[in-house]
Amino acid sequence: MSIPSSSNNRLQSWAGLECTVNRVNDEYRDQFTHALAPSYADFIKQAAGIGLTALRYSVSWERLTRDPGGWRQVKQDLTELRTQSIRPIIGLIHHGSGPPETNLLSPSFAPGLAAHARETVRRFPWVHEWTPVNEPLTTARFSALYGHWYPHHRDERSFWLALLNQIDATRLAMREVRAVNPAAILVQTEDLGRTYATASLKDQSGFDNTRRWMTWDLLNGMVDHGHVFWKRLAAMGFGDRLRAIADDPCPADIIGVNHYLTSDRFLDHRTQHYPADKCGAYYADVEAIRVLHPAPGGVRGALQEAWERYGTPVAITECHNACTREEQMRWTAEGWAVARSLRADGVDVVAVTSWAAGGSRNWASLLTQDNGPYECGAFDSRGGALRPTAMVGLLRELGSDDTPSHPAANGAGWWKRDIRFVHPPVAIAGPVPRFDEATGSAPLLIAGGSGTLGRAIADACRHRGLAFVLTKRADMDVTDGASIDRALARYRPWAVINATGWVRVDDAEDHPRECTEINTLGAALLARACQSNGVHYTGISSDLVFDGMKGAPYVEDDPTAPLGVYGQSKAEAEAAVDQGLTVRTAAFFSAHDAHNFAVAVRNTLRAGDVFKAADDYFVTPTFVPDLVAHLLDLVIDGERGVWHLSNDEEISWAEFARRIAIACGLSEHLVAAVPGSSLGWVAPRPRRSGLGTKRGVRMPTLDNAIARFAAEVR
């Protein structure tokens, strides 16, 4: 099989699922089980229509050693890929240290992986593309230099030994593969960034910038007596190993560049300018994109440098940004744009890979803990089944050489706006670049400019670089069909979020007509107008559509049974939304709104007064920043139907008040737990109206939200 090349092929669309099986002490951490990631079989069924040409597929040494029965699933997956005309790129170990009987520092590691390669190619001799070891240098750093992963060493010699063992494992594995399939090619991946530094740290940055090439330098047989690191490694006793590798190299056929916004680093000796967690003994190590101006070279620079150094076809083998949906889309689209631009300049870029297409978890802790947040990919796997996000449509367009059509994808990413600076900017050359928010795209229309939620959504859009229009009643009266038609014709939005509404629950009992007019009639008119104009509609509903008799948190398809006028108006509004999105939420709180429960608790206790709260009514409080972030992602994805968004814990109002007090450093003893009947409520309320979900989008924990609330009010 010939190596894919830009000279005779279009830019290919690849994908991959996060497949790390790493070891921390004696525990193996498998992303397929810890990250709620999908199986390959699930992904292949969903992904067949995206236009993928190849899938990075893990035949994990550790997983199959522990479960030999897993070979059956591997066979089914690879057979299905072949049926779908999607080429597998087989990986054998991904940030791992091997089965329990070996490790990265053991002489048995390389021959052990080679034996696994022999078994794999015996079963699947038709597979042509292989990545025996993913990111050898990065794995060596995290396992043997920084001590995060097994065998948890923290010295330079262990680092080089771990790297050399992985290089030998790659060479021996490819030897076994090519003994069966001589046409097999090596797609060698590595995280590639550049290190920048202040003048006093130029030697350290120079060392890092040379070391970053060592995976490919070694495989290419370039580390001989003329290499800058020869003497250093020979002095550690690795001279014979280096000669053996140089005499029998195994060059990559495709250089797989994994590049993230965090890959480029900046070292600064002025540690006083940075948080303590960014500083070591001698200098701070921070993301270069967060401090340097102009911005660092990024993925374009990484690809260009790799091509110039090796003259070998290159591919972006991981293209991912852990952030909001539109920023994920912008980063992916930028990767494709860079690849196409470099191809036009003669750089042989063969593919761009969506990674991790099924999401991942715990990378914030470098996979050392299990309580980290889930990071969505092109698909969201939190609901137990793969849910396509707006990224899927984008990948389909990019793979067909179309430009992104989604309005949310057309803005400038945060890495191109001034919000990227979280540390005092450091000039490396030229002026500070400034970028304006995108204004040429169709806007998102937010109805309800005078309300807390409408303003919060607008603030989030402004921060995320999403073009928006925030309307008040004078701009668009949702109870007046003609006013709605004029506004839609004037602003031509791609989506509408209806954040208007009667929110005074008790007053609704005395003003049922007014409440119903805006909450029900207004929602129905706006939703109908959006549907007629092909505009996505989102309405906001409430936990008060339920009667509280279930005895457990409600999920999206539970029948509604409102007790009061307000709940009835929301239930009828939901029924009127035929083709749109309805987001139910509850008890939302924010540091930027003077009229919510949490702020009232904080202000009352700060004054030294007692705060009364019901201990017999239970809700799922919702932090507005989390609500808005997830709401906007669902809107961008074009989701429809009913979704529940809350901070995922049902507690009493009294317990909620107590936790607010503790987080704010105030006296929890001033919170008086009382019956709800003593608080003078007029409207009937469900005693237990917590919101659960069947749809998989879970927001941060309530304790996490309360901590952020407390930090903001301070």
Side-chain angles (χ1 to χ4, degrees), residues 47-85:
I50 297 179
L52 297 181
T53 54
L55 176 68
R56 293 184 62 191
Y57 184 93
S58 173
V59 184
S60 170
W61 184 20
E62 293 96 340
R63 189 182 299 124
L64 289 165
T65 298
R66 289 178 292 153
D67 179 21
W71 284 108
R72 290 190 297 273
Q73 186 62 55
V74 173
K75 181 179 180 179
Q76 292 175 20
D77 293 345
L78 294 183
T79 300
E80 182 63 21
L81 282 173
R82 203 174 189 183
T83 301
Q84 299 291 346
S85 298

Side-chain angles (χ1 to χ4, degrees), residues 578-615:
D578 185 29
Q579 298 295 321
L581 168 66
T582 295
V583 170
R584 290 191 190 125
T585 187
F588 61 71
F589 64 104
S590 164
H592 306 291
D593 166 33
H595 306 290
N596 68 73
F597 181 86
V599 168
V601 171
R602 186 245 191 188
N603 291 345
T604 300
L605 300 186
R606 282 190 72 192
D609 297 329
V610 172
F611 187 91
K612 296 180 180 179
D615 63 355

